[in-house]
Amino acid sequence: MSSGQLSASLEVSVEAYRPPLDYEIGGIFPMTGASNNSGKGETRRTPSPGFGHKTPANVAPSPLRLAAVDDDSLTERRTNIGNFQRIVVAEDHRGTRRMLIQMLRTWGFVVLPAKSGPEVLNIVEQTRPPELIVLSRMLPGIDIFELCQRLCCRHSDYSPYILVLAMQSDQREVVRALESGAAEYLTTPFEAQELRARLLVASRILKRQENLILSRDKFRCLATTDPLTGVWNRRSINQILKDELARASGSEASTGVLLVDLDHFKKVNDTHGHLAGDFVLQETSRRLKNALRPYDSIGRYGGEEFLVVVPNAAEAELCQLAERLRKAIESESIRVGESQIRITLSIGATIAPSGESLLSKVIATADAALYNAKRFGRNRFMFADPLQEQVAHYRSQTNALPHSGRA
């Protein structure tokens, strides 16, 4: 759109109606007219003219009539459709770009200008890329259809709303643009009201899309995490372990597993009540998460039990981690109201060798080690070799008489 019909229709109005862009901010119309006779310096704010509007060079253009609405709140809502939403304007023609920027800022958008296809790609590389993109059909640097495809491929969670502006309406061009990822194809010249209406539709679609993504993420969180402690639930941590075993099998790596159980937790509920017990579980899970590495995973396995998956772990490393978890809980009592509740852990540790894919076998080995940790006095960890399940290597710095049961 760097020449031809649009340029001819815009050149006069742009030169005759060009308020300083530094003054134009979202939601404020460019000013026309002068102060009134009262001398108070009041000005009238009106929007910019439409794209199809022609004005003589010596006459200021007539302001665009938005809508005859008596309700001020409705007028403002319809005017500021952008609501400070970011929008990319990719247009190499200076006059057209200035007019688009002026109108979009007037309507409440935060405009990010670009002059070429590579500039557009640089803008969408941001952590939070803009959701609305206006592209000129004649934009230099990258073919517009390829650019649309590349823009859509860069967004995994949502698709940007791309509006293509072209000098002529060719059915084949429209089809190619829409198939490449564009959502709208608008020919020039056009009225400002039409562009605003299309952007209003785009904003509604993007808002609904955002709500759907938020709802999806919310339900995904509810389906995969434990509602009390915030760690993975049993189903999720089992899946994580299963995936890790499969990954380790292909890379000849080993996977460490820790089965953690709070000692005498029933006494906490009986003595202090279930609300206090819930708080103890929350605080315990928080301390355990803080003691883990970023790539370790923890989930609530059931009741007061937690399952920890440790990728690429050797026996010595896994035992050090188990001891760190034990000390993180034992070192400081948990304050609940006026009470100080001391909690200890018993931990069963094992390493699934490369090629082991049977989830139940790995967890059963860790469970046997946990049982031995309970039997030998609690507040300790035991390591069980899955290749020699009858041998449990005692790992503790304390000595205690054997106990039976698991509490």
Side-chain angles (χ1 to χ4, degrees):
M1 299 192 303
S2 58
S3 60
Q5 185 177 3
L6 178 61
S7 300
S9 65
L10 285 178
E11 196 64 38
V12 175
S13 61
V14 168
E15 294 300 326
Y17 193 83
R18 183 179 294 173
L21 290 181
D22 291 340
Y23 178 78
E24 301 163 20
I25 59 176
I28 297 180
F29 295 120
M31 293 185 176
T32 59
S35 58
N36 58 20
N37 295 330
S38 65
K40 295 181 181 180
E42 295 179 359
T43 55
R44 180 167 52 91
R45 293 173 179 172
T46 56
S48 58
F51 265 49
H53 183 77
K54 294 184 178 180
T55 306
N58 59 344
V59 179
S62 301
L64 175 68
R65 297 183 61 84
L66 293 179
V69 182
D70 295 332
D71 189 344
D72 293 338
S73 62
L74 183 58
T75 304
E76 184 175 355
R77 179 177 63 82
R78 289 182 176 177
T79 300
N80 298 318
I81 60 171
N83 194 25
F84 302 104
Q85 192 173 19
R86 296 186 303 161
I87 182 171
V88 178
V89 175
E91 169 60 67
D92 64 322
H93 185 265
R94 181 174 178 270
T96 305
R97 188 171 61 253
R98 286 177 62 90
M99 181 64 75
L100 285 170
I101 292 174
Q102 175 181 305
M103 286 196 303
L104 293 171
R105 286 179 175 174
T106 296
W107 298 335
F109 289 97
V110 176
V111 183
L112 304 175
K115 301 177 184 178
S116 65
E119 287 189 26
V120 176
L121 294 177
N122 289 334
I123 292 176
V124 300
E125 286 288 350
Q126 300 176 14
T127 303
R128 187 174 65 88
E131 300 170 327
L132 271 168
I133 302 175
V134 177
L135 299 178
S136 168
R137 171 65 183 91
M138 304 305 294
L139 192 68
I142 302 176
D143 177 75
I144 191 68
F145 306 118
E146 178 186 351
L147 181 58
C148 289
Q149 292 175 346
R150 293 174 65 174
L151 288 172
C152 292
C153 290
R154 289 172 181 266
H155 298 73
S156 56
D157 285 340
Y158 67 92
S159 296
Y161 198 98
I162 302 174
L163 190 151
V164 175
L165 300 179
M167 293 294 296
Q168 58 185 358
S169 178
D170 187 320
Q171 185 175 4
R172 290 174 298 179
E173 292 269 307
V174 175
V175 171
R176 287 190 63 191
L178 297 178
E179 290 179 344
S180 299
E184 284 277 6
Y185 192 97
L186 184 61
T187 57
T188 59
F190 54 82
E191 293 293 329
Q193 294 96 327
E194 181 181 4
L195 177 61
R196 189 181 70 241
R198 291 177 184 270
L199 292 178
L200 180 61
V201 172
S203 298
R204 285 201 299 258
I205 292 175
L206 290 172
K207 183 61 177 178
R208 291 170 183 172
Q209 181 175 262
E210 179 185 5
N211 290 336
L212 288 174
I213 293 175
L214 292 175
S215 299
R216 180 205 64 187
D217 293 341
K218 179 180 178 180
F219 285 118
R220 178 184 294 170
C221 180
L222 292 174
T224 57
T225 59
D226 176 63
L228 177 63
T229 62
V231 299
W232 298 112
N233 59 22
R234 178 167 179 159
R235 179 178 178 273
S236 298
I237 195 63
N238 275 340
Q239 186 62 48
I240 290 174
L241 177 55
K242 183 178 180 181
D243 293 342
E244 190 60 37
L245 291 175
R247 187 197 65 80
S249 177
S251 60
E252 297 185 357
S254 57
T255 304
V257 176
L258 299 176
L259 196 56
V260 181
D261 187 82
L262 277 64
D263 297 326
H264 301 298
F265 183 72
K266 185 176 183 301
K267 290 183 179 180
V268 176
N269 285 330
D270 293 342
T271 304
H272 302 279
H274 285 83
L275 291 179
D278 289 346
F279 183 79
V280 168
L281 287 174
Q282 291 172 338
E283 178 63 17
T284 299
S285 63
R286 185 189 67 81
R287 294 188 192 180
L288 292 176
K289 282 169 39 177
N290 290 339
L292 293 174
R293 302 169 300 181
Y295 46 86
D296 298 331
S297 301
I298 181 172
R300 188 180 179 191
Y301 199 67
E304 65 272 19
E305 285 188 332
F306 296 87
L307 181 65
V308 179
V309 180
V310 186
N312 302 323
E315 177 181 342
E317 184 182 17
L318 186 65
C319 291
Q320 290 174 1
L321 178 59
E323 180 64 14
R324 186 163 72 245
L325 296 181
R326 188 191 67 80
K327 288 182 178 180
I329 304 303
E330 181 198 36
S331 60
E332 184 180 354
S333 299
I334 299 176
R335 183 180 182 86
V336 181
E338 299 298 325
S339 303
Q340 296 284 349
I341 303 176
R342 182 175 180 269
I343 296 295
T344 60
L345 298 179
S346 295
I347 305 174
T350 189
I351 289 182
S354 176
E356 177 61 68
S357 59
L358 193 57
L359 186 71
S360 58
K361 182 178 180 181
V362 175
I363 295 180
T365 304
D367 187 65
L370 174 60
Y371 180 84
N372 282 333
K374 294 284 189 180
R375 189 166 63 89
F376 279 95
R378 305 178 182 86
N379 191 23
R380 68 196 65 233
F381 69 89
M382 301 284 288
F383 180 86
D385 190 338
L387 301 179
Q388 301 176 1
E389 294 185 33
Q390 70 278 12
V391 179
H393 301 286
Y394 182 69
R395 306 288 187 190
S396 178
Q397 297 178 352
T398 61
N399 295 316
L401 294 176
H403 289 266
S404 60
R406 179 172 168 179

